[in-house]
Amino acid sequence: MDEGVPKKAARRIRHALLASFRASGGFRLVAASPWRHRHLLILCYHGVSLRDEHEWDPMLFVTPAFLRRRFEILRDNGYVVLPLAEAVCRLVDGKLPHRSVALTFDDGFHNFFSAAMPLLEEFGYPATVYLSSYYCLHQRPILGITLRYLLWLARSQALPAGTLPAQSEPVDLGDVRQRDRLAARLLVDVRLLAQDREAQLAWLALVADRLGIDWEDIVRSRRLHLMTGEEVAAIAQRGFDVQLHTHRHRTPREESTFRSEVLENRLIIKELTGRPATHFCYPSGDVDPVFLPWLRDLGVETATTCAVGLANVGQNTLLLPRYIDTMAQTEVLFEGWLSGAAEMLKWRGK
Ligand SMILES: [Zn+2]
């Protein structure tokens, strides 16, 4: 739904205030303050695009050039990027270095291996990858996001009824709402009709074919795949940290199912990396207080959320906030969060 004009205007005004605070040297003062010294900023990314994925979903994908620029800002402003586990230990012990930051990448996309890792290595930055293991084991494009991507690729088309399986009405794919509605309906259908993986893959190929999209190219480019087991093993060998994100990217409210999700995920990560995984990220930022004792029982040491903020010394380490950096965030806002100024000004919008 469209945001109201007053909300947009308020955001512009707050952004202008933040920009003038930066221009007057405010960010530098806050970044060097004892207050910022006691806080940790955990940055969150998802995918790094290999083609045009960022144009389709700029909240999920950033370009390599965008990520490079972010790393340059970290480097040029004296931020210290720490491995996540060390950063949280130091936070709790009150021993953080000045301007501390940790980097996290959710889901374990193939593009971490092919696009993010080379940049991280160039800058010498450690990072944690939260791996959801199902699509790592079963190598194919992720069903839900691939369907949305296919419909976006065909956004210039108006589909007569019956073009796609179970599409009973004409749909203008140029209209975002119609496109989203169709994606939601098709997804329900495919999940009901085809529980087996091969049938789902064939269904996606059929949708691509009916839309006139080169399906083989999408599969070959692996732009919507997670890393293979070999790629996960390779990043771990190169020093990157692979941690828990549940097996099927879900957070059931029933304890035994929740435990199975985490334990299966942990077993696969251990097999691939040879290391125990004891750090967790809530899939889709879905946090419920009921999960906390379950996570503690599972020996989970830290858990990150999608709540926006810097982590402070008294923080519950199973509810660590992060800053979700996307292509929608300006450099002023990014630096506002790095310095801590955005947190001090109680900034919560974009
Ligand atoms: Zn995720």
Side-chain angles (χ1 to χ4, degrees), residues 166-183:
Q167 178 215 335
S168 52
E169 296 165 4
V171 176
D172 176 2
L173 291 181
D175 180 322
V176 177
R177 285 181 204 175
Q178 287 190 42
R179 200 164 73 219
D180 287 350
R181 254 200 320 269
L182 176 64

Side-chain angles (χ1 to χ4, degrees), residues 45-205:
Y45 296 94
H46 289 84
V48 180
S49 52
L50 302 177
R51 303 266 181 97
D52 53 5
E53 302 90 296
H54 60 283
E55 291 173 33
W56 156 60
D57 192 340
M59 306 304 281
L60 197 60
F61 288 89
V62 299
T63 62
F66 177 94
L67 197 58
R68 170 181 291 281
R69 177 72 194 127
R70 294 309 210 214
F71 289 177
E72 285 168 355
I73 292 170
L74 288 172
R75 181 195 62 198
D76 297 346
N77 292 280
Y79 288 96
V80 179
V81 182
L82 297 166
L84 178 73
E86 180 189 336
V88 177
C89 274
R90 283 171 168 246
L91 171 74
V92 171
D93 295 342
K95 291 181 178 162
L96 281 173
H98 281 284
R99 300 181 185 83
S100 49
V101 172
L103 297 173
T104 62
F105 289 77
D106 290 9
D107 304 324
F109 279 99
H110 161 70
N111 52 59
F112 178 85
F113 179 83
S114 57
M117 183 173 73
L119 274 175
L120 288 160
E121 290 188 330
E122 181 186 329
F123 282 81
Y125 290 157
T128 290
V129 173
Y130 291 116
L131 177 72
S132 209
S133 35
Y134 177 87
Y135 277 100
C136 168
L137 289 190
H138 306 294
Q139 279 291 309
R140 61 192 174 112
I142 299 167
L143 181 65
I145 64 169
T146 303
L147 174 63
R148 288 200 296 113
Y149 180 64
L150 290 175
L151 297 178
W152 174 81
L153 283 175
R155 63 195 177 283
S156 64
Q157 300 181 34
L159 306 181
T163 308
L164 299 180
Q167 178 215 335
S168 52
E169 296 165 4
V171 176
D172 176 2
L173 291 181
D175 180 322
V176 177
R177 285 181 204 175
Q178 287 190 42
R179 200 164 73 219
D180 287 350
R181 254 200 320 269
L182 176 64
R185 204 166 56 238
L186 291 178
L187 207 54
V188 170
D189 278 356
V190 70
R191 283 187 173 138
L192 285 176
L193 289 174
Q195 284 302 323
D196 84 278
R197 293 189 290 274
E198 288 310 312
Q200 285 186 349
L201 197 59
W203 181 88
L204 278 175

Side-chain angles (χ1 to χ4, degrees), residues 244 262-273 277:
L244 304 164
V262 176
L263 290 172
E264 193 168 3
N265 191 213
R266 175 179 277 164
L267 189 68
I268 292 164
I269 292 172
K270 178 77 193 295
E271 277 172 10
L272 295 175
T273 67

